[in-house]
Amino acid sequence: MDVNELPIGVFDSGLGGLTAVRELKEILPHENIVYFGDTGRLPYGTRSAETIIKYACDDMNFLLTNSVKAVLIACGTVSSTALGVLKSSFDIPIFGVVEPASAEAVRLTEKGKIAVLATPSTISAKAFDKAIAAINPAFSVMGVGCPMFVPLVENGYIGEDCNITKEIVNEYLSKLEDFSPDVIILGCTHYPLIKNIISKAAGEKFGKVRIVDSGRASAHALKNFLHESGKAKADGPGVTRYFVSDEPHNFMRTASLFLGEQVENISKIDVEKYLYKK
Ligand code: DGL
């Protein structure tokens, strides 16, 4: 089969990677996508690097059984912790969210003060700090781990009028009060599902703040690669197939809400069957 016709693989621990899928559908409408959300082993963002690497390798093994032509790690935690290992273990183009989101933040900041909201593992890996320093070492970066956001999103607490989510957003943003950023990177791909709440609360606290959606930024990096390498699919409708590792009902409900279309073609798989062997 012509490589252009092969699907793109996208994975995350759960719903977060849909932020990249939504953008991919918009900017690469002809591409077929195979999405895997590891809902049975979520969350990733509070686990050790060793476990995250192991899970990510299983996820890659599963995607490769679908003959994908490239993989987008639509997960800040895996991108921060395992990108190097995955690139050296799998012979396929692999993209993460850290570099594209950091580059966008650097483009947008006027004060040189960039905050990163992400999972505890991403914050301790300091991957965004390093990526931003590599572009401009004069910029200051402050990271805040937000472990409550993923369970809120996975359980569907994403409405703009959701008081629990608003309260927790305010709690995390209060840690940035002295720093007062003008750009906030949503370094976990789950967080753009509550972007409106974060953006409104940040505006009230810090004035003009630009929000960077890491999933969205990574979709653009993948698009550039497919076009530059001549691997993009040029016509025909794109079909997205969804796979999860636990009962699909919750995923289907929130995914449909977020993507603004009925998401039905979801299959449950046993990801442990695709175990990574050292
Ligand atoms: N969406 C993921 C991320 O971008 C993982 C969240 C989690 O499972 O903790 O970090």
Side-chain angles (χ1 to χ4, degrees):
M1 193 197 237
D2 184 0
V3 67
N4 301 53
E5 300 296 314
L6 297 174
I8 298 166
V10 181
F11 76 92
D12 177 46
S13 61
L15 287 157
L18 296 180
T19 55
V21 168
R22 185 162 80 171
E23 193 65 14
L24 286 171
K25 282 164 165 284
E26 186 76 32
I27 61 178
L28 291 167
H30 307 300
E31 296 291 343
N32 296 317
I33 300 171
V34 176
Y35 184 83
F36 176 56
D38 194 5
T39 50
R41 302 191 295 188
L42 168 136
Y44 281 12
T46 45
R47 298 190 191 275
S48 66
E50 193 188 356
T51 302
I52 294 164
I53 290 170
K54 181 193 157 318
Y55 286 179
C57 289
D58 299 346
D59 303 344
M60 287 289 302
N61 280 338
F62 166 67
L63 288 177
L64 291 178
T65 62
N66 290 279
S67 307
V68 293
K69 63 184 168 190
V71 170
L72 180 56
I73 306 170
C75 174
T77 304
V78 174
S79 304
S80 302
T81 317
L83 182 65
V85 178
L86 297 185
K87 281 191 170 175
S88 58
S89 310
F90 295 91
D91 187 18
I92 184 171
I94 302 176
F95 295 84
V97 304
V98 175
E99 271 77 19
S102 302
E104 189 177 331
V106 166
R107 268 197 311 277
L108 292 175
T109 186
E110 287 165 14
K111 297 198 308 195
K113 287 190 160 205
I114 301 170
V116 182
L117 303 184
T119 65
S121 346
T122 298
I123 297 301
S124 30
K126 292 200 171 294
F128 285 95
D129 311 53
K130 290 174 200 160
I132 292 166
I135 310 173
N136 189 336
F139 289 165
S140 323
V141 181
M142 180 169 171
V144 178
C146 308
M148 293 293 289
F149 284 171
V150 168
L152 285 169
V153 168
E154 286 290 328
N155 288 289
Y157 290 87
I158 61 173
E160 278 176 56
D161 53 354
C162 186
N163 286 331
I164 306 174
T165 308
K166 281 199 235 172
E167 209 165 302
I168 294 173
V169 164
N170 273 314
E171 168 69 22
Y172 288 136
L173 289 182
S174 66
K175 300 183 187 203
L176 292 169
E177 254 150 31
D178 292 339
F179 183 64
S180 190
D182 70 336
V183 172
I184 297 179
I185 300 177
L186 304 182
C188 167
T189 54
H190 275 74
Y191 303 177
L193 279 91
I194 50 168
K195 181 177 169 182
N196 290 345
I197 302 178
I198 296 173
S199 172
K200 187 158 180 271
E204 282 160 13
K205 280 194 192 324
F206 314 121
K208 188 180 158 211
V209 185
R210 314 287 294 271
I211 308 283
V212 175
D213 169 342
S214 57
R216 190 174 171 275
S218 66
H220 286 265
L222 178 59
K223 178 190 170 193
N224 293 343
F225 163 76
L226 292 178
H227 281 154
E228 281 159 19
S229 61
K231 292 193 172 118
K233 182 166 172 280
D235 46 31
V239 174
T240 305
R241 283 181 300 146
Y242 299 90
F243 296 87
V244 290
S245 52
D246 202 355
E247 197 280 312
H249 185 258
N250 267 358
F251 183 92
M252 184 169 78
R253 199 165 36 94
T254 309
S256 303
L257 203 67
F258 177 68
L259 293 174
E261 63 186 36
Q262 197 53 36
V263 173
E264 267 158 351
N265 47 343
I266 308 178
S267 313
K268 182 181 169 201
I269 59 144
D270 178 4
V271 71
E272 300 276 329
K273 271 196 351 211
Y274 303 88
L275 278 188
Y276 170 60
K277 289 175 203 70
K278 272 196 191 156

